[in-house]
Amino acid sequence: MKKLFFGLCLLMYTNIVFAQEQPAAYVLEDGYDFWMKEKGDTAYVFADMAYIRDYPSTKGKLLDSIPQETRVIIKSDSYNNSIARGFEAPWRKISYVKDGKEKEGFIWSGLLSIGRIQQKDGTIFNIGFLRYEKETSYSAATYLLEVKCFDSNGHLKAKDYYPAELSEQRYSEHKLLPHMGLEGLENIVRIGFLGEACGIPSFYYYFSWDGKEVIPMFSRYTVSDAGIYYHEEKILFPSEHNLDPNLIIKDIEEGEVIDEDAQEYHYKKTRKRIKYIWDGKIAAELIEMKAVN
């Protein structure tokens, strides 16, 4: 009897200690993140392999692993931000089907895609973050924004990344464009990261698809600050400017209020046009020589 009593006490003590060591899960009040998923939404795994745990933490017990392009259903709000691959993201409870059985567990959101586009022919573009790289003496801190292309059977065809300089942006968006008049291309993928407050820029990154390769192209941004200052960049492709079929134009306009105390704002504006020649792989800036009298 004493041995039984002692065993029960030891079991209770072990459970209490474990409960004390396991931190409580908490729901994040600010639900804004680049993944923009709510309970019941469908998401897809972006990482080559994603680990599923029994608790929203890297300390949670490993339950399973699922490969890229696995379809999952979001079952919870955002939990417990964690840092992995150099950046911070929340955990979500998910359900998924593997080997014909429905399973559940927690996944770190950084392993999920922030966007996914499927064409009529079945070609899939999956968008996500490869990792975050810290600032160095010769480069700025960047997220490696990656686009993966899969065929209709889910086989990876190509992938590549672009360094994205993100900071306080709150939303993401993505859009599949046609070739926009550029020779040799089938599509252009545009990915945006939007700032919702004054002084926070919105960045847009462009990738092209030529049927074989995913090709990083260039970026643009817009920003304004309380109506006092603005910077806006626009891209014009051949189908929009109807000039050279390999010419890409970036128009830049900046405006600054002349008199902040005036009842109606008037701006001092500056405009600049940058031209790029697209060779099928790289958009190289075109340097135009001015004639010397």
Side-chain angles (χ1 to χ4, degrees), residues 228-287:
I228 304 298
Y229 165 84
Y230 70 87
H231 175 104
E232 184 175 13
E233 298 182 356
K234 293 182 178 180
I235 299 294
L236 295 175
F237 290 101
S239 63
E240 297 169 311
H241 58 59
N242 297 315
L243 299 173
D244 190 299
N246 295 312
L247 179 66
I248 301 170
I249 296 172
K250 178 188 281 189
D251 282 334
I252 303 171
E253 180 174 303
E254 290 186 348
E256 188 172 357
V257 167
I258 298 171
D259 182 1
E260 295 184 22
D261 296 323
Q263 289 185 342
E264 184 177 348
Y265 284 166
H266 294 279
Y267 293 87
K268 178 183 178 181
K269 299 180 181 180
T270 58
R271 295 183 175 91
K272 181 180 180 180
R273 169 165 284 191
I274 302 175
K275 296 179 180 179
Y276 301 90
I277 293 297
W278 177 251
D279 68 358
K281 301 292 182 183
I282 299 174
E285 185 174 349
L286 179 63
I287 306 298

Side-chain angles (χ1 to χ4, degrees), residues 30 32 34 143 165-172 192-205 220-232:
D30 185 351
Y32 299 110
F34 294 142
Y143 288 82
E165 297 183 26
L166 307 177
S167 56
E168 299 179 52
Q169 290 72 28
R170 304 295 297 275
Y171 305 95
S172 66
F193 299 92
L194 313 182
E196 67 170 1
C198 290
I200 298 177
S202 294
F203 289 100
Y204 298 86
Y205 298 92
R220 67 176 177 90
Y221 79 94
T222 61
V223 65
S224 64
D225 193 356
I228 304 298
Y229 165 84
Y230 70 87
H231 175 104
E232 184 175 13

Side-chain angles (χ1 to χ4, degrees), residues 22-23 51-63 79-85 87 89-91 106-109 111:
Q22 186 79 306
Y51 297 113
I52 309 302
R53 300 184 182 274
D54 71 342
Y55 179 81
S57 167
T58 53
K59 296 180 180 180
K61 180 182 177 182
L62 183 60
L63 299 178
Y79 285 104
N80 301 18
N81 272 349
S82 291
I83 295 177
R85 300 189 174 203
F87 64 94
W91 290 78
F106 288 92
I107 190 171
W108 182 63
S109 292
L111 303 177

Side-chain angles (χ1 to χ4, degrees), residues 146-161:
E146 189 173 45
V147 173
K148 296 179 177 181
C149 182
F150 298 86
D151 64 21
S152 56
N153 295 315
H155 299 135
L156 181 66
K157 298 174 70 176
K159 63 181 179 179
D160 211 333
Y161 65 85

Side-chain angles (χ1 to χ4, degrees), residues 55-120:
Y55 179 81
S57 167
T58 53
K59 296 180 180 180
K61 180 182 177 182
L62 183 60
L63 299 178
D64 201 358
S65 61
I66 50 179
Q68 58 190 1
E69 269 297 288
T70 299
R71 179 178 179 269
V72 304
I73 304 298
I74 304 297
K75 306 291 285 187
S76 74
D77 295 317
S78 296
Y79 285 104
N80 301 18
N81 272 349
S82 291
I83 295 177
R85 300 189 174 203
F87 64 94
E88 187 175 60
W91 290 78
R92 307 298 290 266
K93 188 175 184 179
I94 61 166
S95 65
Y96 59 97
V97 175
K98 184 175 180 180
D99 299 328
K101 297 179 181 180
E102 184 171 339
K103 299 184 177 184
E104 287 190 347
F106 288 92
I107 190 171
W108 182 63
S109 292
L111 303 177
L112 297 174
S113 64
I114 61 172
R116 185 177 182 273
I117 306 167
Q118 185 164 7
Q119 298 192 95
K120 292 181 179 179

